Amino acid sequence: MTESTAAQRASKQADKDAIRPFQANFPETELTELRRRINATKWPERETVTDASQGVQLATSQALARYWGTDYDWRKCEARLNALPNFIIPRSMG
């Protein structure tokens, strides 16, 4: 191995070991697919009790899914995430 090749490998390893900034950037195609999957949810039958003793009630889950699938502003969420300092750390540090 030449000095040049060794230096390049060392530089690449140093880049992998460096803490570096991260920005969330969700592709629109992925958000469209997420919305499609949310809106295509197959729901179970309604619960057999009128209280929450069997867990979150179907109507509540459906209302939340409708919100995520149609009204939630994913880009606003992305902007809020990017307003904070985000970093990728190497596995050896995590």
Side-chain angles (χ1 to χ4, degrees), residues 9-91:
R9 285 189 180 166
S11 176
K12 285 182 183 178
Q13 186 62 40
D15 288 346
K16 287 174 67 175
D17 291 341
I19 297 174
R20 55 196 188 279
F22 171 78
Q23 289 274 303
N25 182 14
F26 307 112
E28 190 60 38
T29 55
E30 294 296 322
L31 295 178
T32 299
E33 175 61 10
L34 178 60
R35 287 184 197 100
R36 185 199 66 73
R37 289 191 329 251
I38 290 170
N39 292 325
T41 298
K42 293 183 181 181
W43 298 101
E45 292 182 21
R46 191 171 168 263
E47 57 278 341
T48 58
V49 297
T50 58
D51 59 20
S53 63
Q54 292 181 335
V56 177
Q57 294 186 316
L58 180 61
T60 302
S61 296
Q62 289 173 324
L64 183 58
R66 265 192 307 278
Y67 173 65
W68 282 344
T70 59
D71 297 330
Y72 188 75
D73 188 343
W74 295 96
R75 292 297 175 204
K76 184 177 179 180
C77 177
E78 183 180 74
R80 289 182 68 192
L81 286 171
N82 287 331
L84 301 169
N86 296 290
F87 297 91
I88 295 173
I89 62 169
R91 286 186 180 197

